[in-house]
């Protein structure tokens, strides 16, 4: 499938060989145990270890992460389960781990846990490849690019080359980009990690995460961690996720196109500052993004003058839900400062563009901005 287009690959990914009178995508397998006489050496032994529905999904995600290459994917009950599996399966007491200081808001919780286990954690911003300055002696470098919610982009190849030269493993959180927007393994990373709750499944109704590796030993460590902690997805969630992959290119292409339109429109509005979208040629992240990303994502961030006007903007929107998360077919937006964990201004808006008709969504946004900024 390495020569196929993204749409074809997404539609066909992970499907078993056709069998007469069997469905194209087999239904979810609900089983805690399997028939298992004699030695337990078969592929399916116990429901916490393996499941045929996971197998199909893991193959599908692997085909999107690294088309035509042998990789191993492990699916998890959530994105945080996937993140924790990499960090906590690799780091030991006395090791050094480098994290971004502008990443996902739950990363500080992981940092606390790592430090409680005697792991030294260093942080630096995503922008400007600043993590290079704190890389010395690290066991693992964790990259989040584009960063959430600030949308900074680092040079993954540059950081990977420097890390590997020093014997450091590299994991990339690819949640914002999805495998159709960026392929971290092709850029040299050891782990590609994502919360598939977001763009990969894209409907806001499944919690899921995954880790993909080229190295079988690294993959085995991640898979063992899943078994030990039991952070497994339900078979129904895994099946729904696989079904949702078929529309990934359709969804992502619409969302990315409208996100660029939104960013261009916001750039012309007085009262809107701090605009960030990696696909804008004027964005500070554009030079890196255009080199390593194939699509620029569905998230746009910007700042309105204060909390009051940001909340007025969100209240006035009719086609956009005031909700957290991103990457879904229904547009969402939120004032990120309400969580108290992101270093952003009170009027900072993270806007996730959905699959609505672009003209309708833009009219809704323009009307809400007029109301919030006092323009007619």
């Amino acid at each position: 499938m390495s020569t196929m287009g993204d749409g074809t690959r997404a539609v066909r990914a992970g499907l078993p060989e056709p069998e007469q009178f069997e469905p194209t995508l087999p239904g979810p397998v609900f089983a805690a145990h399997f028939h298992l006489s004699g030695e337990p050496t078969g592929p399916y032994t116990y429901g916490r270890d393996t499941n045929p529905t996971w197998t199909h999904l893991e193959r599908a995600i692997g085909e999107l992460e690294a088309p035509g290459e042998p990789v191993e994917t492990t699916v998890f009950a959530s994105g945080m389960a996937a993140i924790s599996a990499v960090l906590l399966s690799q780091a030991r007491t006395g090791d050094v781990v480098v994290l971004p200081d502008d990443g996902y808001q739950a990363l500080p919780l992981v940092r606390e846990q790592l430090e409680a286990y005697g792991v030294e954690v260093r942080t630096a911003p995503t922008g400007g490849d600043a993590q290079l300055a704190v890389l010395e002696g690290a066991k693992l470098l964790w990259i989040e690019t584009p960063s959430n919610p600030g949308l900074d982009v680092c040079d993954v190849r540059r950081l990977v080359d420097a890390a590997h030269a020093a014997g450091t493993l590299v994991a990339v959180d690819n949640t914002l980009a999805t495998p159709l927007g960026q392929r971290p393994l092709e850029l040299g990373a050891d782990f590609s990690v994502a919360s598939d709750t977001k763009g990969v499944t894209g409907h806001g109704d499944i919690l899921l995460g995954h880790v993909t590796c080229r190295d079988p030993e690294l993959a085995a460590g991640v898979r063992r961690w899943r078994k030990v902690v039991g952070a497994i997805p339900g078979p129904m969630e895994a099946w729904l996720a696989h079904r949702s992959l078929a529309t990934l290119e359709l969804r992502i292409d619409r969302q990315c196109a409208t996100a660029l339109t939104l960013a261009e429109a916001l750039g012309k509005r007085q009262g809107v500052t701090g605009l960030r979208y990696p696909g804008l040629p004027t964005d500070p992240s554009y030079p890196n993004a255009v080199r390593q990303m194939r699509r620029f994502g569905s998230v746009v961030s910007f700042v309105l003058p204060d909390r009051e006007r940001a909340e007025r903007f969100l209240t006035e929107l009719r086609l956009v839900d005031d909700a957290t998360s991103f990457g879904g077919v229904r547009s969402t937006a939120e004032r990120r400062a309400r969580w108290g964990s992101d270093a952003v201004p009170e009027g900072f808006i993270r806007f996730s563009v959905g699959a609505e008709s672009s003209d309708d969504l833009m009219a809704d946004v323009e009307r809400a901005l007029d109301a919030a900024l006092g323009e007619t």
Side-chain angles (χ1 to χ4, degrees):
M1 293 180 67
S2 59
T3 60
M4 292 182 178
D6 285 342
T8 305
R9 189 177 298 112
V11 168
R12 304 296 306 177
L15 298 181
E17 289 297 316
E19 289 190 37
Q20 188 76 339
F21 310 122
E22 292 295 322
T24 303
L25 176 62
V29 175
F30 299 99
H33 60 266
F34 302 83
H35 290 296
L36 189 67
S37 58
E39 294 298 315
T41 56
Y44 304 109
T45 57
Y46 184 62
R48 189 183 69 253
D49 298 341
T50 50
N51 177 288
T53 310
W54 303 349
T55 299
H56 294 313
L57 175 61
E58 288 172 343
R59 288 174 180 166
I61 292 173
E63 289 171 12
L64 298 178
E65 286 276 11
E69 298 185 35
V71 295
E72 294 188 31
T73 296
T74 304
V75 291
F76 288 86
S78 68
M80 278 308 300
I83 290 169
S84 299
V86 173
L87 289 165
L88 298 176
S89 71
Q90 299 303 313
R92 302 287 185 270
T93 300
D95 285 343
V96 175
V97 170
V98 176
L99 301 178
D101 65 10
D102 55 349
Y104 180 53
Q105 63 172 352
L107 276 182
L109 301 178
V110 181
R111 175 179 183 167
E112 289 176 11
Q113 193 61 59
L114 287 167
E115 291 175 337
Y117 290 155
V119 176
E120 179 186 343
V121 179
R122 304 174 189 156
T123 64
T126 299
D129 301 338
Q131 288 174 298
L132 287 172
V134 294
L135 197 56
E136 184 178 355
K139 172 70 178 294
L140 177 69
L141 166 63
W142 187 272
I143 296 170
E144 184 179 305
T145 183
S147 62
N148 175 24
L151 302 183
D152 271 321
V153 174
C154 62
D155 185 335
V156 175
R157 283 193 185 277
R158 182 186 181 202
L159 268 67
V160 165
D161 288 347
H164 285 174
T168 302
L169 294 170
V170 180
V172 175
D173 184 333
N174 201 41
T175 301
L176 269 151
T178 82
L180 265 59
Q182 182 171 260
R183 294 180 183 151
L185 299 184
E186 289 185 358
L187 297 170
D190 301 288
F191 305 89
S192 181
V193 189
S195 170
D196 301 316
T197 306
K198 315 299 195 298
V200 168
T201 59
H203 289 75
D205 54 7
I206 302 170
L207 291 174
L208 199 80
H210 81 266
V211 179
T212 302
C213 308
R214 277 202 182 93
D215 187 328
E217 283 192 34
L218 295 177
V222 169
R223 200 168 290 262
R224 181 180 182 276
W225 182 262
R226 181 181 68 180
K227 177 178 179 177
V228 169
V229 301
I232 59 173
M236 191 67 198
E237 285 79 0
W239 184 87
L240 286 169
H242 197 166
R243 180 223 43 192
S244 298
L245 284 182
T247 60
L248 181 57
E249 187 198 43
L250 296 171
R251 292 186 278 108
I252 294 296
D253 280 353
R254 167 66 70 84
Q255 290 167 300
C256 291
T258 305
L260 180 58
T261 299
L262 172 63
E264 290 170 342
L266 289 169
K268 301 172 183 176
R269 295 288 307 227
Q270 290 196 355
V272 174
T273 59
L275 173 65
R276 298 301 303 272
Y277 182 66
L280 272 179
T282 55
D283 191 274
S285 288
Y286 184 78
N288 278 335
V290 78
R291 276 199 308 270
Q292 68 193 25
M293 298 182 74
R294 299 159 65 242
R295 294 170 175 85
F296 300 110
S298 63
V299 178
V300 178
S301 66
F302 56 97
V303 180
L304 296 180
D306 51 40
R307 172 176 178 167
E308 180 182 2
R309 277 176 277 195
E311 291 181 345
R312 175 74 186 277
F313 168 69
L314 295 170
T315 300
E316 290 290 335
L317 291 166
R318 295 291 176 265
L319 299 179
V320 183
D321 296 330
D322 190 343
T324 196
S325 200
F326 55 85
V329 291
R330 288 172 288 278
S331 292
T332 61
E334 69 171 334
R335 193 180 65 84
R336 286 297 293 176
R338 65 180 177 174
W339 296 99
S341 51
D342 292 316
V344 295
E346 286 293 323
F348 183 99
I349 300 292
R350 185 182 70 183
F351 195 111
S352 171
V353 175
E356 299 89 355
S357 296
S358 180
D359 289 347
D360 295 334
L361 185 63
M362 292 306 305
D364 192 40
V365 169
E366 295 283 10
R367 183 190 50 75
L369 283 172
D370 288 346
L373 298 176
E375 298 173 17
T376 56

